[in-house]
């Protein structure tokens, strides 16, 4: 991890960012399922942070070093001591070696900072990158590959007139935390409004929402559909046609776009009505040997009857007398309170995420993959007052694009969202949290512990 200068746009001065190695996003890992790797994560950052720190936030007190980092590989089935536990941060001049066994299905994972209380600032500074796991099932599909497979990391930033990153503050110098950060500059792979020269054929786009808080709603300017072939934790059972893709922070989508009917055209990837990037399709027709098979990878449903435990977990926003958010909580508990979620290794549980707030919160569990069961509206005021659950309306099945293995789920406002999880892999202390980083840093994160059966 180093402080570096990057050009986000031809017309912007170089911007000071933090990257892994000499880039942000950092280098892209490409590993094989079943072949473990060791990574030494060295913190060579300066000792002064580039953004204002809120010392009133738990874990970011003024007696702690300003610059602290710890790397989490999002979506990895990794041992607890290599998972980047938020308290296991270290200072510039130090490094750790982490072991990633990669004993999991082909998927797009991503690594990013996870230091307690300043994670939103470290990621905003640029500490994130992409990590692909490959396997034989994926190989056999003959999907577009190599230069026809493009990782797209989307995020938003605020730039000042000098081209430097600006992380907004609350206006209270003693407590600069703000509840969500939305940038006016949309960035893809470190560039503002980039273009990509493509051939008139199929491409595989591996899209990651790497933003602190923004949800993306993506479409193509010519009205063409994408074929979605995978989500967070790998391939869907079958390709899915969709014209608009919603991605919450930390969610991934594996998309096929066929440019074969668009030779000589320019197509814009749009976020709502704004332009994100441009594809410039060349005129000369090409031979495209790649395929999108109608059957991809079975995703066997975990039956609800397999669950040995159902946990009801509430999502709470704490407000000040002027109804401004002060912090967010999971089950009314703070980060440093005793562990309350302690699933047994290899057991199945249902987690009911009861969102009493007016925001959608992308909830992420470390270590595991899960399936979304359903959602239902409920009467949140009654629930908050009396703890009584009054359902309003029918059970809503997940979107078809949420049908695969997930590690991040949108807990929609005033809804209960149920997920089913098998706690496979390792015992030990992990975390679950909201992936809106401003929420995560301000108490919307809890430890959980996988315990052994004996
Ligand atoms: Cu949240």
């Amino acid at each position: 991890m180093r402080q570096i200068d990057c050009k986000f746009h031809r017309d912007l001065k170089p911007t000071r960012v933090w990257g892994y190695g000499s880039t942000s996003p950092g280098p892209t890992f490409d590993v094989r399922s079943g072949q473990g790797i060791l990574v030494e994560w060295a913190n060579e950052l300066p000792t002064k942070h580039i953004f204002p720190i809120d010392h009133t936030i738990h874990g970011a007190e003024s007696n702690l070093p300003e610059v602290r980092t710890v790397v989490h590989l999002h979506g990895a089935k990794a041992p607890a001591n290599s998972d980047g536990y938020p308290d296991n941060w270290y200072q510039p001049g130090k490094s750790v070696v982490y072991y990633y066994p990669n004993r999991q299905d082909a998927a797009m994972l991503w690594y990013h900072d996870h230091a307690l209380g300043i994670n939103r600032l470290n990621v905003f500074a640029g500490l994130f990158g992409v990590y692909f796991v490959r396997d034989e099932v994926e190989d056999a599909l003959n999907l577009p590959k190599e230069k026809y497979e493009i990782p797209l990391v989307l995020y938003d930033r605020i730039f000042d007139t000098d081209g430097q990153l600006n992380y907004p503050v609350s206006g209270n110098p003693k407590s600069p935390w703000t509840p969500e950060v939305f940038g006016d500059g949309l960035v893809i792979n470190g560039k503002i409004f980039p273009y990509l020269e493509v051939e008139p054929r199929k491409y595989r786009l591996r899209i990651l929402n790497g933003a602190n808080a923004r949800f993306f709603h993506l479409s193509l300017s010519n009205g063409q559909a994408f074929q979605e072939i995978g989500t967070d934790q790998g391939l869907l059972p079958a390709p899915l046609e969709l014209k608009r893709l919603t991605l919450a922070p930390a969610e991934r989508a594996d998309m096929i776009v066929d440019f074969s009917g668009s030779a000589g055209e320019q197509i814009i990837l749009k976020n709502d009505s704004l332009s994100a990037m441009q594809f410039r399709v060349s005129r000369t027709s090409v031979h495209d040997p790649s395929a999108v098979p109608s059957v991809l990878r079975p995703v066997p449903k975990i039956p609800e009857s397999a669950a040995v435990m159902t946990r009801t977990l509430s999502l709470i926003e704490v407000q000040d007398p002027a109804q401004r958010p002060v912090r967010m909580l999971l089950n009314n508990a703070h980060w440093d309170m005793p562990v309350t979620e302690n699933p047994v290794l290899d057991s199945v549980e249902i987690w009911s995420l009861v969102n009493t707030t007016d925001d959608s919160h992308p909830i992420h569990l470390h270590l595991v993959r899960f399936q979304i069961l359903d959602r239902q509206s409920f009467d949140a005021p009654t629930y908050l007052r009396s703890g009584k659950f009054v359902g309003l309306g029918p059970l809503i099945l997940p979107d078809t694009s949420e049908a695969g293995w997930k590690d991040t789920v949108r807990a929609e406002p005033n809804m209960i969202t149920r997920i089913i999880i098998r706690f496979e892999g390792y015992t030990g202390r992990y975390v679950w949290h909201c992936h809106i980083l401003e929420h995560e840093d301000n108490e919307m994160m809890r430890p959980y512990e996988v315990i052994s059966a004996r």
Side-chain angles (χ1 to χ4, degrees), residues 280-343:
R280 298 180 181 172
V281 191
S282 62
R283 283 176 195 289
T284 19
S285 64
V286 292
H287 171 65
D288 180 1
S290 70
V292 185
S294 57
V295 176
L296 298 165
R297 168 173 227 145
V299 178
K301 261 201 167 34
I302 310 177
E304 281 189 48
S305 58
V308 295
M309 166 83 95
T310 294
R311 299 180 194 269
T312 302
L313 303 155
S314 55
L315 282 52
I316 308 269
E317 179 174 293
V318 180
Q319 297 177 335
D320 69 6
Q323 296 198 318
R324 285 176 302 222
V326 176
R327 68 180 69 84
M328 320 283 167
L329 297 176
L330 296 170
N331 236 15
N332 267 322
H334 291 240
W335 167 251
D336 60 350
M337 288 164 68
V339 174
T340 41
E341 285 71 59
N342 45 12

Side-chain angles (χ1 to χ4, degrees), residues 180 315 328 359-363 434-437 439-440 444:
E180 282 110 21
L315 282 52
M328 320 283 167
D359 287 326
S360 177
H361 298 273
I363 298 294
C434 176
H435 224 290
I436 292 177
L437 301 184
H439 297 182
E440 171 189 335
M444 207 169 202

